[in-house]
Amino acid sequence: DVKVTQSSRYLVKRTGEKVFLECVQDMDHENMFWYRQDPGLGLRLIYFSYDVKMKEKGDIPEGYSVSREKKERFSLILESASTNQTSMYLCASKPGTLDEAFFGQGTRLTVV
Amino acid sequence: ILNVEQSPQSLHVQEGDSTNFTCSFPSSNFYALHWYRWETAKSPEALFVMTLNGDEKKKGRISATLNTKEGYSYLYIKGSQPEDSATYLCAFNNAGNMLTFGGGTRLMVKP
């Protein structure tokens, strides 16, 4: 079974803190994604990586950066957390173009 | 920003009713269209990945069709059951492998 693991299920951080959300997949997938989910807005793409050290901005990259130093790990970084980044964050990985994506369990981040 | 739209946003049906939802997407740079089911407290899980115009796929009581020329896909659920209650998401897969999701349709099936 494909496993996509996010480091935390729930996280509470203070405004201005630097926050790291980690995602690890165990199936050698090329493609990894970070989304945030807010009520009524579906899943919005923050960043996408198609290979080690390769990334593309999604629809809402402002306030975020990413790191992919190893194929299995894709990190989302909130440089200076703000209250409007309170959300559910979902990581996904996908082997190839016509393949389905596999999701982690989600991290519910609250910024206070 | 890529425009992937789903309708309706939410739907309440009675057990046994059949229902359908719509996903509309751009017809350019199309590679595949995905459907996912997302149950509360779980991760989204894939239902279908569709690539060819006219594709029809079926899994039990759930089926989907694809029209790439006009940019829409339908998801059908026959004889809805309470366990079908979930959010159904479609996603546009471009040639560069990026996956862009619609806003989802939240289905609630009353027993």
Side-chain angles (χ1 to χ4, degrees):
Chain A
D1 272 359
V2 175
K3 200 164 183 184
V4 181
T5 305
Q6 294 182 229
S7 51
S8 307
R9 197 76 191 255
Y10 300 95
L11 213 49
V12 180
K13 295 291 180 180
R14 295 198 179 277
T15 302
E17 276 193 76
K18 191 168 185 174
V19 181
F20 293 85
L21 302 184
E22 307 283 351
C23 177
V24 177
Q25 50 98 358
D26 65 357
M27 285 299 289
D28 204 37
H29 289 175
E30 304 291 334
N31 306 288
M32 295 187 76
F33 307 81
W34 275 107
Y35 295 92
R36 64 178 279 178
Q37 192 261 338
D38 300 290
L41 295 175
L43 294 179
R44 291 184 293 167
L45 181 64
I46 305 171
Y47 267 99
F48 160 53
S49 170
Y50 52 92
D51 204 347
V52 174
K53 296 188 192 288
M54 306 304 286
K55 63 188 179 189
E56 278 190 36
K57 291 180 181 179
D59 294 328
I60 50 164
E62 297 77 20
Y64 303 94
S65 62
V66 289
S67 171
R68 192 156 178 214
E69 296 296 318
K70 292 185 178 180
K71 195 173 188 180
E72 67 269 19
R73 186 179 295 270
F74 192 34
S75 304
L76 181 70
I77 303 153
L78 286 66
E79 296 291 342
S80 176
S82 64
T83 54
N84 63 13
Q85 292 177 310
T86 292
S87 188
M88 168 71 88
Y89 290 87
L90 276 166
C91 173
S93 73
K94 185 172 174 297
T97 307
L98 299 180
D99 298 303
E100 67 189 77
F102 296 86
F103 285 84
Q105 77 276 28
T107 296
R108 188 164 290 283
L109 173 68
T110 303
V111 183
V112 298
Chain B
I1 293 182
L2 214 57
N3 215 19
V4 181
E5 294 188 352
Q6 291 187 244
S7 63
Q9 194 169 19
S10 67
L11 197 53
H12 290 76
V13 300
Q14 288 292 136
E15 183 174 354
D17 287 351
S18 293
T19 187
N20 64 85
F21 334 126
T22 306
C23 173
S24 64
F25 52 86
S27 45
S28 60
N29 201 23
F30 174 87
Y31 225 77
L33 192 282
H34 299 225
W35 280 101
Y36 292 83
R37 176 166 60 199
W38 191 4
E39 296 177 69
T40 304
K42 294 187 177 180
S43 306
E45 289 185 350
L47 289 169
F48 307 113
V49 178
M50 307 169 77
T51 56
L52 298 174
N53 186 44
D55 251 356
E56 289 189 27
K57 295 215 171 178
K58 190 173 179 183
K59 189 183 279 190
R61 294 178 292 100
I62 304 177
S63 61
T65 61
L66 179 67
N67 183 323
T68 59
K69 291 183 179 177
E70 295 180 42
Y72 65 83
S73 176
Y74 294 134
L75 188 79
Y76 301 91
I77 302 179
K78 188 176 175 183
S80 303
Q81 300 296 308
E83 59 264 30
D84 295 328
S85 297
T87 296
Y88 292 83
L89 296 162
C90 69
F92 177 87
N93 188 153
N94 71 8
N97 253 325
M98 193 175 284
L99 264 189
T100 302
F101 282 83
T105 293
R106 189 170 173 226
L107 173 68
M108 284 150 283
V109 183
K110 297 177 192 173

